[in-house]
Amino acid sequence: MPPQPLQDSVVTPPPSANALADATQATASAASAASAELRRSSAPHAPASALEPLKVPVFRMLWLTWVAANTCMWMNDVASAWLMTTLTSSPVLVALVQTASTLPVFLLGLPSGALADILDRRRYFMATQFWVAGVALALCLAVLAGGLNAWTLLALTFANGIGLAMRWPVFAAIVPELVDRHQLPAALALNGVAMNASRIIGPLLAGAIIASAGSAWVFVLNALLSVIAGLTIMRWQRAPTPQPLGRERLTSAMRVGFVFVRESPPMRAVLWRIAVFFLHATALLALLPLVARGLQGGGAGTFTLLLASMGAGAIASASFLPRLRQKMSMDQLVLRGTAAQALATAVMAGAPNVYVAVPAMVIGGAAWLTTANSLTVSAQLALPNWVRARGMSIYQMSIMGATAGGAALWGQVASLSSVHASMGLAAASGVLVMLLVQRLVPGRHGAEDLSPALAHSFRLPQAEQAPATGLRLVTTIEYFIHPAQAAQFHAVMQDSRRARLRAGALSWELQHDIEDPSRYVERIVDESWIEHLRRFERITASDVALRDRRFAFHIGEGPPQVARYVVEGD
C-alpha cells in the first residue's frame, strides 16, 4: 500500500494540537534557557579563574557532593579489594573485584546516558546516589553481621558499579546547566580536581581505617557519606523541563544518541583523540606497580607515593589551565599534553629512584588532566542539551575501552620484551599517533551553534488527525536548483543529511529527477509522527542557518514544497 499523504497546507489546528504546539515551544524555551550561556556566540568572555565556578552556590554544593561521592567510590574499591584477600586466596577472585566495579560502565554506559536525557535529571541523579548508598548499607550490614563470602562481595561490588555507571553521565550532563559558558572549562577542571583529590583521599582514608579499626568501618563510613550525599542532592531545586510529547522510549533514545555521535564531526574528532590518548597514557598506570617495585627500596609505600604524586600534579595543573587555554587552541593543548605525558612515561621507564620518579609522575598527572579537560570541554560544546548525557556516556565508554585495551596491549608488550621497553614504545607511539589523528581527523570545535531555535524559527507541523502510533512517517521536500550550482547544493545537502540523522531521523536520501535535471527531492523517514515532532523540538540555531543555505539554492516559485506521508504497509 502506498504512503498516505498528510495535509501540508496551513490549517487551524484543533485545541489539542494548539496545546501541543504551545507546550513544545515551551520545551524549546526551557532548553534554551538551560543552555543559553553554554551556546552563546556573542562577544567572548575573559576565561574564568580556576576557582570562579565555586562562587555559584548550586555548583559548589553539587561539586562538594561529587567529591564526597568519589571519595566513597575509592574507599569502597580499596576496602573491597583488601577484604577479598581475607575471604579467599584465589588470584582470580581478587582480580574480579576490579572487573565487577568497571564492567557495568561497558554494559550500561549508553542506557544510563539515555535515561539521564529522558528522565528528570535531578530525580535521576538523586536515585543513582541513593542506589549507591543502599548498596553501601547492604555491604556494611553484611560485613558487620559476618555473613559475607567472596561471591556475595563480588555481587555487591557489581551492584555498586551499576550505580556508578548510572551516576556519571547525569552529573556530566548537568554541569553545563549550572555555570556560564566561559566558566565551563574551569568547572570541568574542578571536576578533574575532585576525581584526583578523591583518588588520593579515598585510599589514604581507607588504608588508615583498615589499619586502625578494620575493613568493616570503611564500609560504615562509606554508607554514611553516601546517604549524606543523596540528601544533599535533594536540596537542589531544578526547574522540571516540560515533555509535551511524552518520554522517549529507551531503545529509541539509545539509537538516537549513538547516531548523533556518529554523525557529529566534532564528537568523532574528540573520540579519536581521547581514545588515542588513553590507549597510550594508560601504559604508565598499568605498569606502575612493576616500576615501583623495581625502584631502589620500592614497595607498596613507593607505589602509593607515586600515585599521590600523579594526583597532586593533576590538582596543581588546574590553577594554570585558564592561562594555557588563552594561549593555545584545543588541538595544541592536546598535542602538548600528550607530549608531556609521553615524556613522563619515558622518564619513568628509566627512573632509578623516587627522586626522579616523583617529579615525572607530577608532570604526568598535570598532562593527564590538561589533555582530558581540553577534550571534555570540546565534547560538552559539541553536544546540545537534549542528548548531552548520551554523548558523554559514549565519551566515557571510549575512555574506559581505550584504558582497558591499552592496559592489555602494553602488558602483553612488556611480557614479550620488558617493562621499560613497553613504556618507551607507548611514549613514542602516543605522540606519533596523536599527530596522525590530528592530521587525518580535523576537529571542528565550536563550529556549530547548538542553542535551541524552534520557538522563533520554525512552525510546528500539524495534522487534522494524528497518525496511528507505530506508523513510519515520510517527509519529502522539493527543490529546484540551477544545474550550474548542483555541486555546491550537493555539498550543503550532505550537511543536511548529518543534521537530519542526528536529530533522530531513521533514514535520509536525496533524489534527482531524471526528466527534469533541476528538480531534487529530499526524502526523510521518521520512526513515527511523535518522533517526527521530536525533531522539531531539537532544532538548533545551526539547523536554521543550514536551512537558509539550502533555500538559497532554490530557484522555484515560492518556497520548497513539503509533503508528509504515513507508511501504512510495506
Side-chain angles (χ1 to χ4, degrees), residues 32-63:
S32 181
S35 61
E37 291 299 326
L38 178 63
R39 296 299 174 193
R40 191 169 54 199
S41 56
S42 58
H45 289 268
S49 66
L51 300 180
E52 184 177 326
L54 292 177
K55 297 178 182 178
V56 181
V58 176
F59 176 80
R60 182 173 63 248
M61 178 183 72
L62 293 180
W63 183 80

Short mmCIF file of all heavy atoms in Angstrom, two decimals, residues 32-63:
data_model
loop_
_atom_site.label_atom_id
_atom_site.label_comp_id
_atom_site.label_asym_id
_atom_site.label_seq_id
_atom_site.Cartn_x
_atom_site.Cartn_y
_atom_site.Cartn_z
N SER A 32 16.41 26.27 25.87
CA SER A 32 17.23 27.43 25.50
C SER A 32 17.75 28.13 26.73
O SER A 32 18.91 28.54 26.78
CB SER A 32 16.40 28.39 24.64
OG SER A 32 17.17 29.50 24.26
N ALA A 33 16.89 28.28 27.74
CA ALA A 33 17.34 28.94 28.97
C ALA A 33 18.43 28.14 29.66
O ALA A 33 19.36 28.70 30.22
CB ALA A 33 16.14 29.13 29.91
N ALA A 34 18.31 26.80 29.60
CA ALA A 34 19.30 25.96 30.27
C ALA A 34 20.65 26.01 29.62
O ALA A 34 21.68 25.83 30.26
CB ALA A 34 18.81 24.50 30.30
N SER A 35 20.69 26.27 28.29
CA SER A 35 21.97 26.21 27.58
C SER A 35 22.34 27.52 26.91
O SER A 35 23.25 27.55 26.09
CB SER A 35 21.93 25.09 26.54
OG SER A 35 20.92 25.33 25.61
N ALA A 36 21.64 28.59 27.21
CA ALA A 36 21.91 29.86 26.52
C ALA A 36 23.34 30.32 26.72
O ALA A 36 24.01 30.73 25.78
CB ALA A 36 20.94 30.94 27.03
N GLU A 37 23.81 30.22 27.95
CA GLU A 37 25.18 30.67 28.20
C GLU A 37 26.19 29.73 27.57
O GLU A 37 27.25 30.14 27.12
CB GLU A 37 25.42 30.76 29.71
CG GLU A 37 24.66 31.86 30.40
CD GLU A 37 25.04 33.22 29.85
OE1 GLU A 37 26.21 33.42 29.49
OE2 GLU A 37 24.16 34.09 29.76
N LEU A 38 25.87 28.43 27.57
CA LEU A 38 26.80 27.46 27.01
C LEU A 38 26.99 27.66 25.53
O LEU A 38 28.09 27.51 24.99
CB LEU A 38 26.26 26.04 27.29
CG LEU A 38 27.08 24.88 26.73
CD1 LEU A 38 28.46 24.88 27.38
CD2 LEU A 38 26.36 23.56 26.97
N ARG A 39 25.91 28.01 24.82
CA ARG A 39 25.98 28.08 23.36
C ARG A 39 26.04 29.51 22.83
O ARG A 39 25.92 29.71 21.63
CB ARG A 39 24.74 27.40 22.78
CG ARG A 39 24.70 25.91 23.11
CD ARG A 39 25.90 25.22 22.52
NE ARG A 39 25.96 23.85 22.93
CZ ARG A 39 27.00 23.07 22.77
NH1 ARG A 39 28.10 23.53 22.25
NH2 ARG A 39 26.96 21.82 23.15
N ARG A 40 26.17 30.45 23.68
CA ARG A 40 26.13 31.84 23.24
C ARG A 40 27.29 32.14 22.30
O ARG A 40 28.43 31.80 22.57
CB ARG A 40 26.18 32.76 24.45
CG ARG A 40 25.88 34.20 24.13
CD ARG A 40 25.70 34.97 25.42
NE ARG A 40 26.85 34.80 26.29
CZ ARG A 40 26.82 35.05 27.59
NH1 ARG A 40 25.71 35.42 28.17
NH2 ARG A 40 27.91 34.88 28.31
N SER A 41 26.98 32.80 21.19
CA SER A 41 28.01 33.08 20.20
C SER A 41 28.28 34.57 20.07
O SER A 41 28.75 35.05 19.05
CB SER A 41 27.57 32.54 18.82
OG SER A 41 26.32 33.08 18.47
N SER A 42 27.98 35.28 21.12
CA SER A 42 28.22 36.72 21.10
C SER A 42 29.65 37.02 21.52
O SER A 42 30.53 36.19 21.36
CB SER A 42 27.22 37.40 22.03
OG SER A 42 27.33 36.87 23.33
N ALA A 43 29.89 38.24 22.07
CA ALA A 43 31.24 38.67 22.39
C ALA A 43 31.91 37.71 23.36
O ALA A 43 31.29 37.20 24.28
CB ALA A 43 31.19 40.06 23.03
N PRO A 44 33.20 37.43 23.15
CA PRO A 44 33.91 36.49 24.01
C PRO A 44 34.12 37.05 25.41
O PRO A 44 34.23 38.24 25.61
CB PRO A 44 35.24 36.28 23.29
CG PRO A 44 35.43 37.52 22.49
CD PRO A 44 34.06 37.96 22.07
N HIS A 45 34.21 36.12 26.37
CA HIS A 45 34.48 36.49 27.75
C HIS A 45 35.94 36.21 28.06
O HIS A 45 36.57 35.35 27.45
CB HIS A 45 33.63 35.64 28.71
CG HIS A 45 32.17 35.99 28.68
ND1 HIS A 45 31.60 36.91 29.52
CD2 HIS A 45 31.17 35.52 27.89
CE1 HIS A 45 30.30 36.98 29.27
NE2 HIS A 45 30.02 36.16 28.29
N ALA A 46 36.46 36.88 29.07
CA ALA A 46 37.77 36.51 29.60
C ALA A 46 37.62 35.15 30.28
O ALA A 46 36.60 34.87 30.91
CB ALA A 46 38.23 37.54 30.61
N PRO A 47 38.59 34.25 30.15
CA PRO A 47 38.49 32.94 30.76
C PRO A 47 38.28 33.05 32.27
O PRO A 47 38.82 33.93 32.92
CB PRO A 47 39.84 32.28 30.42
CG PRO A 47 40.34 33.02 29.23
CD PRO A 47 39.84 34.42 29.38
N ALA A 48 37.47 32.17 32.80
CA ALA A 48 37.22 32.17 34.23
C ALA A 48 38.47 31.72 34.97
O ALA A 48 39.25 30.92 34.47
CB ALA A 48 36.05 31.24 34.55
N SER A 49 38.64 32.23 36.21
CA SER A 49 39.73 31.75 37.04
C SER A 49 39.44 30.32 37.45
O SER A 49 38.31 29.83 37.34
CB SER A 49 39.88 32.64 38.27
OG SER A 49 38.74 32.52 39.11
N ALA A 50 40.46 29.65 37.97
CA ALA A 50 40.32 28.23 38.27
C ALA A 50 39.22 27.96 39.29
O ALA A 50 38.56 26.92 39.23
CB ALA A 50 41.66 27.69 38.78
N LEU A 51 38.98 28.88 40.23
CA LEU A 51 38.01 28.65 41.30
C LEU A 51 36.70 29.41 41.11
O LEU A 51 35.81 29.32 41.95
CB LEU A 51 38.63 29.03 42.65
CG LEU A 51 39.89 28.26 43.05
CD1 LEU A 51 40.39 28.75 44.40
CD2 LEU A 51 39.64 26.76 43.08
N GLU A 52 36.56 30.16 40.02
CA GLU A 52 35.38 31.00 39.84
C GLU A 52 34.06 30.22 39.86
O GLU A 52 33.07 30.69 40.44
CB GLU A 52 35.48 31.80 38.54
CG GLU A 52 34.33 32.77 38.34
CD GLU A 52 34.48 33.60 37.07
OE1 GLU A 52 35.63 33.94 36.73
OE2 GLU A 52 33.46 33.90 36.44
N PRO A 53 33.98 29.01 39.26
CA PRO A 53 32.71 28.29 39.31
C PRO A 53 32.23 27.99 40.73
O PRO A 53 31.03 27.84 40.96
CB PRO A 53 33.01 26.99 38.54
CG PRO A 53 34.12 27.36 37.61
CD PRO A 53 34.97 28.33 38.39
N LEU A 54 33.16 27.91 41.69
CA LEU A 54 32.75 27.62 43.07
C LEU A 54 31.99 28.78 43.70
O LEU A 54 31.40 28.61 44.77
CB LEU A 54 33.98 27.28 43.92
CG LEU A 54 34.69 25.97 43.57
CD1 LEU A 54 35.92 25.77 44.42
CD2 LEU A 54 33.74 24.78 43.71
N LYS A 55 31.98 29.94 43.04
CA LYS A 55 31.17 31.06 43.53
C LYS A 55 29.70 30.86 43.23
O LYS A 55 28.85 31.56 43.78
CB LYS A 55 31.67 32.37 42.90
CG LYS A 55 33.10 32.74 43.28
CD LYS A 55 33.53 34.02 42.57
CE LYS A 55 34.98 34.37 42.91
NZ LYS A 55 35.44 35.59 42.19
N VAL A 56 29.39 29.93 42.34
CA VAL A 56 27.99 29.60 42.02
C VAL A 56 27.49 28.63 43.09
O VAL A 56 27.98 27.50 43.19
CB VAL A 56 27.87 28.97 40.63
CG1 VAL A 56 26.42 28.65 40.30
CG2 VAL A 56 28.47 29.90 39.58
N PRO A 57 26.52 29.02 43.93
CA PRO A 57 26.13 28.18 45.08
C PRO A 57 25.73 26.76 44.70
O PRO A 57 26.14 25.80 45.37
CB PRO A 57 24.96 28.96 45.69
CG PRO A 57 25.19 30.38 45.29
CD PRO A 57 25.80 30.31 43.92
N VAL A 58 24.92 26.61 43.65
CA VAL A 58 24.45 25.26 43.29
C VAL A 58 25.61 24.41 42.82
O VAL A 58 25.73 23.23 43.20
CB VAL A 58 23.35 25.34 42.21
CG1 VAL A 58 22.94 23.95 41.77
CG2 VAL A 58 22.14 26.10 42.72
N PHE A 59 26.49 24.99 42.00
CA PHE A 59 27.64 24.21 41.54
C PHE A 59 28.52 23.82 42.73
O PHE A 59 29.01 22.68 42.80
CB PHE A 59 28.46 25.01 40.52
CG PHE A 59 29.72 24.29 40.09
CD1 PHE A 59 29.66 23.28 39.13
CD2 PHE A 59 30.95 24.59 40.66
CE1 PHE A 59 30.81 22.60 38.75
CE2 PHE A 59 32.10 23.92 40.28
CZ PHE A 59 32.03 22.92 39.32
N ARG A 60 28.74 24.76 43.64
CA ARG A 60 29.59 24.47 44.80
C ARG A 60 29.00 23.33 45.63
O ARG A 60 29.72 22.40 46.03
CB ARG A 60 29.74 25.72 45.66
CG ARG A 60 30.64 25.52 46.87
CD ARG A 60 30.90 26.84 47.60
NE ARG A 60 29.68 27.42 48.15
CZ ARG A 60 29.13 28.54 47.71
NH1 ARG A 60 29.68 29.21 46.70
NH2 ARG A 60 28.03 29.01 48.26
N MET A 61 27.69 23.36 45.84
CA MET A 61 27.05 22.30 46.63
C MET A 61 27.19 20.94 45.95
O MET A 61 27.58 19.95 46.58
CB MET A 61 25.56 22.64 46.82
CG MET A 61 24.77 21.59 47.58
SD MET A 61 23.01 21.98 47.69
CE MET A 61 22.49 21.68 45.99
N LEU A 62 26.90 20.90 44.64
CA LEU A 62 26.96 19.62 43.94
C LEU A 62 28.40 19.17 43.73
O LEU A 62 28.68 17.97 43.69
CB LEU A 62 26.22 19.73 42.60
CG LEU A 62 24.70 19.92 42.72
CD1 LEU A 62 24.06 20.02 41.35
CD2 LEU A 62 24.06 18.79 43.52
N TRP A 63 29.33 20.13 43.60
CA TRP A 63 30.74 19.75 43.45
C TRP A 63 31.25 19.10 44.73
O TRP A 63 31.95 18.08 44.68
CB TRP A 63 31.58 20.98 43.10
CG TRP A 63 33.04 20.66 42.87
CD1 TRP A 63 33.59 20.14 41.73
CD2 TRP A 63 34.11 20.81 43.80
NE1 TRP A 63 34.94 19.97 41.89
CE2 TRP A 63 35.29 20.37 43.16
CE3 TRP A 63 34.19 21.28 45.11
CZ2 TRP A 63 36.53 20.39 43.78
CZ3 TRP A 63 35.43 21.29 45.73
CH2 TRP A 63 36.59 20.86 45.08
#
